[in-house]
Amino acid sequence: MLNLGILISGRGSNMESILKSIKRKKIPINPAIVISNKQDARGLEIARKLGIKTEVIESKDFKGSRWEYDKKIISVLEKHGVTPKNGLVCLAGFMRIISPEFVKKYKNRIINIHPALLPAFPGLDAQKQAIEYGSKYSGCTVHFVDSGVDTGPIILQSVVKIKKGDTEKTLSKRILAKEHQAYPEAIRLFAEKKIKISGRKTIID
Ligand code: GRF
């Protein structure tokens, strides 16, 4: 079976929703390992409680290059069967840009979720960017990771209306609820081999 590695940095609510959905909806993927780049990521405890193996590769004082750090991640992924042939890597609030070498090695096998309707508002504070821009709608995007920031082929998007008086906090909360549905759904589509990539587009079966 396909092996899943989830990379987190903090709260881990997307990770939690992914892990619970895999069980509940019988998605054909084995949640093999959760890796955090921060020792104190709250998601680590959640993963352990759900019976999933965890590892920490602290990035704070790491002096080497981005690729040297990513090689450490890859060796843990491979140890748990999350290989470029038989693995899927999900970035779930992983607050690091991954190296082009990592992207190349796991070509079309790394997925990310972003709290905006890409290509609008890539990068940090996407919900705040949408409010300040005056957008009427935002949402979330699940996409393959390529060597840019939030630029890879889009798998799924889910729309959220921006209400009068919304703050970053209120909008983020409604977007997050959509993220928790969209991410497991994208993983299901991947695991069931229903996603084809054609150039920068995906075709969903
Ligand atoms: C989410 O809003 C996700 O879209 C963004 O980082 C946040 C992570 O939240 N990439 P959580 O750790 O999954 O709760």
Side-chain angles (χ1 to χ4, degrees), residues 78-97:
E78 289 191 324
K79 190 171 84 188
H80 291 89
V82 186
T83 63
K85 275 222 162 79
N86 195 32
L88 174 66
V89 179
C90 286
L91 310 182
F94 186 62
M95 299 305 286
R96 280 180 62 86
I97 293 171

Side-chain angles (χ1 to χ4, degrees), residues 62-73:
F62 188 77
K63 297 278 185 282
S65 68
R66 203 171 282 288
W67 173 227
E68 272 160 350
Y69 177 83
D70 287 353
K71 277 198 268 191
K72 289 173 175 281
I73 298 259

Side-chain angles (χ1 to χ4, degrees), residues 11-14 92-93 113-115 176 179:
R11 184 174 57 181
S13 71
N14 276 288
I113 190 155
H114 182 73
L176 193 64
E179 293 182 37

Side-chain angles (χ1 to χ4, degrees), residues 14 91-93 95 111-130 138-145 149-152 154 156-158 175-176 178-179 182-183:
N14 276 288
L91 310 182
M95 299 305 286
I111 295 181
N112 181 41
I113 190 155
H114 182 73
L117 297 175
L118 292 171
F121 314 124
L124 293 174
D125 303 325
Q127 303 93 331
K128 188 163 169 249
Q129 289 187 56
S138 191
C140 65
T141 304
V142 187
H143 64 95
F144 285 105
V145 173
V149 176
D150 301 326
T151 52
I154 291 170
L156 287 179
Q157 292 187 303
S158 189
I175 293 177
L176 193 64
K178 295 281 188 183
E179 293 182 37
Y183 215 165

Side-chain angles (χ1 to χ4, degrees), residues 161-190:
K161 190 167 169 45
I162 301 181
K163 296 181 188 164
K164 202 173 138 202
D166 252 337
T167 61
E168 183 183 1
K169 194 170 169 201
T170 58
L171 178 61
S172 299
K173 193 173 168 201
R174 293 205 309 288
I175 293 177
L176 193 64
K178 295 281 188 183
E179 293 182 37
H180 293 167
Q181 296 169 357
Y183 215 165
E185 176 61 7
I187 292 170
R188 182 186 70 78
L189 292 170
F190 186 94

